[in-house]
Amino acid sequence: MKKNKKNINPIWGSNFNKQSNPLLEKINSSIDFDKRLALQDIKVSEVHSLMLQKKRIISSSEYKLILKGLKKIKALILNNKFEFNKKYEDIHMNIEMELHNLIGEAAEKLHTARSRNDQVVTDFKLWIIQATKEICSKITDLQKTIVKKSSLHIKTIMPGFTHLQSAQIVSLAHHLMAYYEMLKRDKGRFLDSINRMNECPLGSAALAGTSFNIDRGFTSKKLGFKKPTSNSMDSVSDRDYALEFLSNIAICGSHLSRFGEDITIWASDQFKFVNLSDDFSTGSSIMPQKKNPDSAELIRGKMGRFSGNFFSLLTTIKGLPLTYSKDLQEDKEPVFDSYDNLVLALEVSNGIIKGIKINKKEMLKACNKNNLMATDLADWLVINYNLPFRKAYKMIAGIISIANKKNCQINDLTTIELNIAGNDSGKKIKKFLKIDNSINYKQSSGSTSPKEVKKNIQIAKRELY
Ligand code: ARG
């Protein structure tokens, strides 16, 4: 790998008469971001060279030298002593050049029977599989916190909303456990995607495979994949696994953004349902009285980049001819960005729930407004007086209108005013309209009844621990 006179690229420069334009270096180089694949790249090279030796494509002394060099490079990287160089484009060339510096000519054999095209996909798949597992563990952490908090609030009641209008009474635990379910599906999607990406592209070479008698089953197994991919052309063009990762992040991020929104609303002066702990709140630079829920707002706001990153890669891939095109190098930044920000959003959500103060009093106050038990009462009338639902509905609409005129709640009406289902019904209705009855009378599975919520919390605990 002698440098030629004009200092043209030492790998592919032999047919070139001019040095690269600095602008080419700027647009072409990916080392600033793909250095995050360094450890995967080294692992892939270790396994590839072992296979080459096993198949007698390189000698065992060459293999030993390569392995020694790669070990040194790994140590340099882990100690932040590796000098990444833009001139060598990407992580693959940076490592190969350094290997050459360290061990000389044997390094030139490492790239036998492979191309950067299959190498980069193998590295990237390994990185994404690892990142997916990391995300799943962060989701589990958050789920644990949700379950812990929920256990304390099975009987803490608050209004549940539809159209952001107070609708019916629910327990705080029931509301929080809704997020447990969303996160459970998210985790399912992430884990499921691993099954699909779990095929090893290494050995597909540039696009057509290789004339060397390599053992793809061996490298696949050593790298922890289920099996080698089946079609070399698909292998080097496929970025489904990155797209799926980004779309799973976007869906999970959409759940977190709804959580961020709920918290932001609950923390508002109008609701006062919760107080964010000081360590997750900020002040205003001009209004000294303010405490802002920036952390929750940013969780909500991260959704912009999650969907942006997904569409960015989807758009890059659309219409690309088979097989590899350099456009595909644009796959990494969106993936890294979405990953970093999802992990952050999961951690911050966790911190918010851990430290949040629940204002039970305010929640209760809100339950005592807007006749939130109207639907419960309709159900109760149907069950106890054998009325058709529509009839019960109308009767209750009638007493709500009286209460509205008197500027009070239906449970403030007199027993006589409440005698809508016969003479002694008013007394019974008044008794039924005790606020806690709303959740206690629920019977359906998956409802907000304390019994059901408790059951689901038990199931969740079994799933988590
Ligand atoms: N840095 C490149 C990428 O991320 C590696 C593959 C380069 N392949 C090529 N044929 N130039 O896509």
Side-chain angles (χ1 to χ4, degrees):
M1 282 206 199
K2 271 185 242 145
K3 289 188 180 171
N4 56 24
K5 297 184 238 120
K6 290 175 185 158
N7 199 16
I8 292 172
N9 187 294
I11 305 293
W12 42 257
S14 27
N15 277 332
F16 287 60
N17 296 315
K18 250 184 168 183
Q19 230 181 300
S20 295
N21 190 305
L23 283 174
L24 171 75
E25 193 176 286
K26 209 167 167 188
I27 194 169
N28 201 30
S29 156
S30 55
I31 190 63
D32 284 347
F33 49 88
D34 68 13
K35 59 180 168 204
R36 288 183 74 166
L37 301 178
L39 295 182
Q40 286 75 17
D41 199 72
I42 289 172
K43 177 92 192 140
V44 168
S45 290
E46 281 170 359
V47 169
H48 181 68
S49 54
L50 174 61
M51 182 278 292
L52 291 178
Q53 183 243 199
K54 204 177 88 73
K55 297 297 284 180
R56 304 197 185 288
I57 298 168
I58 62 172
S59 71
S60 93
S61 58
E62 284 162 342
Y63 166 65
K64 278 183 192 141
L65 268 177
I66 290 174
L67 199 65
K68 212 169 129 197
L70 289 172
K71 269 211 178 100
K72 268 193 192 148
I73 294 174
K74 187 170 171 181
L76 287 174
I77 289 170
L78 290 174
N79 294 318
N80 284 325
K81 294 219 167 93
F82 189 91
E83 262 185 53
F84 295 102
N85 193 334
K86 273 198 167 123
K87 204 164 73 193
Y88 305 134
E89 259 186 74
D90 57 23
I91 186 62
H92 324 296
M93 298 312 302
N94 266 269
I95 289 178
E96 195 178 319
M97 295 306 289
E98 182 60 21
L99 189 65
H100 197 266
N101 288 341
L102 289 171
I103 66 165
E105 271 195 0
E108 296 180 27
K109 296 221 168 169
L110 176 60
H111 214 51
T112 314
R114 79 172 186 194
S115 142
R116 274 187 294 164
N117 296 353
D118 58 339
Q119 192 181 353
V120 71
V121 194
T122 312
D123 292 1
F124 204 27
K125 271 192 174 180
L126 287 174
W127 191 93
I128 290 183
I129 289 172
Q130 173 65 34
T132 301
K133 290 179 181 164
E134 187 61 33
I135 287 173
C136 287
S137 112
K138 295 284 171 194
I139 291 179
T140 303
D141 291 347
L142 176 55
Q143 284 178 309
K144 284 181 177 167
T145 303
I146 287 175
V147 166
K148 245 189 211 152
K149 202 43 112 186
S150 299
S151 317
L152 303 174
H153 293 287
I154 295 173
K155 290 191 171 166
T156 304
I157 54 170
M158 64 181 293
F161 302 89
T162 61
H163 312 265
L164 195 52
Q165 306 283 321
S166 301
Q168 286 192 275
I169 295 165
V170 295
S171 68
L172 174 62
H174 196 47
H175 196 132
L176 290 177
M177 286 299 287
Y179 285 103
Y180 175 86
E181 293 296 324
M182 294 177 232
L183 291 165
K184 183 172 151 183
R185 290 193 297 277
D186 291 332
K187 204 157 57 177
R189 258 185 297 273
F190 278 114
L191 292 174
D192 186 45
S193 71
I194 292 184
N195 286 334
R196 252 181 313 283
M197 72 179 102
N198 213 351
E199 295 184 359
C200 183
L202 194 64
S204 300
L207 77 159
T210 168
S211 328
F212 292 96
N213 179 25
I214 58 175
D215 185 347
R216 293 192 61 211
F218 177 83
T219 43
S220 165
K221 199 163 165 204
K222 280 267 169 204
L223 289 170
F225 289 98
K226 209 168 51 195
K227 63 177 169 83
T229 51
S230 302
N231 181 303
S232 60
M233 294 181 78
D234 174 49
S235 305
V236 296
S237 349
D238 172 29
R239 292 297 181 279
D240 292 5
Y241 59 93
L243 276 178
E244 233 181 306
F245 184 65
L246 288 173
S247 95
N248 290 340
I249 288 179
I251 296 173
C252 181
S254 79
H255 296 147
L256 296 185
S257 83
R258 298 182 81 169
F259 169 74
E261 169 70 351
D262 274 345
I263 296 295
T264 307
I265 293 176
W266 294 355
S268 72
D269 236 11
Q270 286 65 33
F271 279 73
K272 295 197 184 76
F273 285 180
V274 297
N275 284 90
L276 251 62
S277 86
D278 282 358
D279 60 344
F280 278 99
S281 309
T282 56
S284 155
S285 60
I286 177 169
M287 297 167 281
Q289 85 285 11
K290 287 203 76 186
K291 206 166 120 181
N292 293 327
D294 292 30
S295 51
E297 294 165 77
L298 283 162
I299 290 170
R300 186 178 59 191
K302 289 292 178 196
M303 191 56 213
R305 63 172 85 210
F306 294 145
S307 59
N309 286 334
F310 172 61
F311 278 104
S312 143
L313 184 58
L314 194 61
T315 312
T316 297
I317 290 169
K318 182 213 164 278
L320 280 187
L322 291 192
T323 56
Y324 179 85
S325 299
K326 198 61 179 261
D327 314 44
L328 290 172
Q329 183 167 280
E330 292 289 314
D331 60 359
K332 291 173 201 69
E333 284 162 295
V335 163
F336 293 149
D337 182 68
S338 278
Y339 167 75
D340 291 342
N341 282 286
L342 184 71
V343 167
L344 181 60
L346 286 164
E347 288 172 345
V348 174
S349 303
N350 199 339
I352 287 179
I353 301 181
K354 274 186 180 154
I356 206 162
K357 203 180 135 273
I358 309 294
N359 300 332
K360 289 189 189 181
K361 247 191 176 155
E362 291 295 330
M363 288 181 166
L364 184 64
K365 223 158 94 190
C367 289
N368 279 312
K369 286 193 268 187
N370 300 313
N371 293 310
L372 296 188
M373 284 188 74
T375 315
D376 300 321
L377 182 56
D379 290 350
W380 185 83
L381 284 176
V382 170
I383 293 166
N384 289 284
Y385 292 87
N386 199 20
L387 295 169
F389 182 79
R390 276 286 160 247
K391 194 160 200 171
Y393 178 101
K394 276 189 194 139
M395 286 164 130
I396 291 158
I399 53 171
I400 287 178
S401 138
I402 299 174
N404 284 348
K405 269 182 212 134
K406 294 178 78 176
N407 205 12
C408 67
Q409 299 293 297
I410 47 177
N411 52 341
D412 299 322
L413 295 175
T414 65
T415 44
I416 296 170
E417 284 166 318
L418 291 173
N419 270 343
I420 49 176
N423 280 342
D424 63 338
S425 61
K427 237 165 125 184
K428 287 184 189 155
I429 289 174
K430 227 173 153 62
K431 210 168 137 204
F432 171 71
L433 284 174
K434 297 267 169 324
I435 208 84
D436 290 330
N437 282 344
S438 180
I439 57 169
N440 290 335
Y441 269 69
K442 294 281 181 306
Q443 299 208 51
S444 56
S445 74
S447 72
T448 186
S449 96
K451 202 173 121 228
E452 275 301 306
V453 175
K454 217 181 268 171
K455 188 184 86 192
N456 282 321
I457 287 177
Q458 287 313 322
I459 294 173
K461 280 183 180 161
R462 277 203 298 278
E463 285 167 351
L464 292 172
Y465 295 98

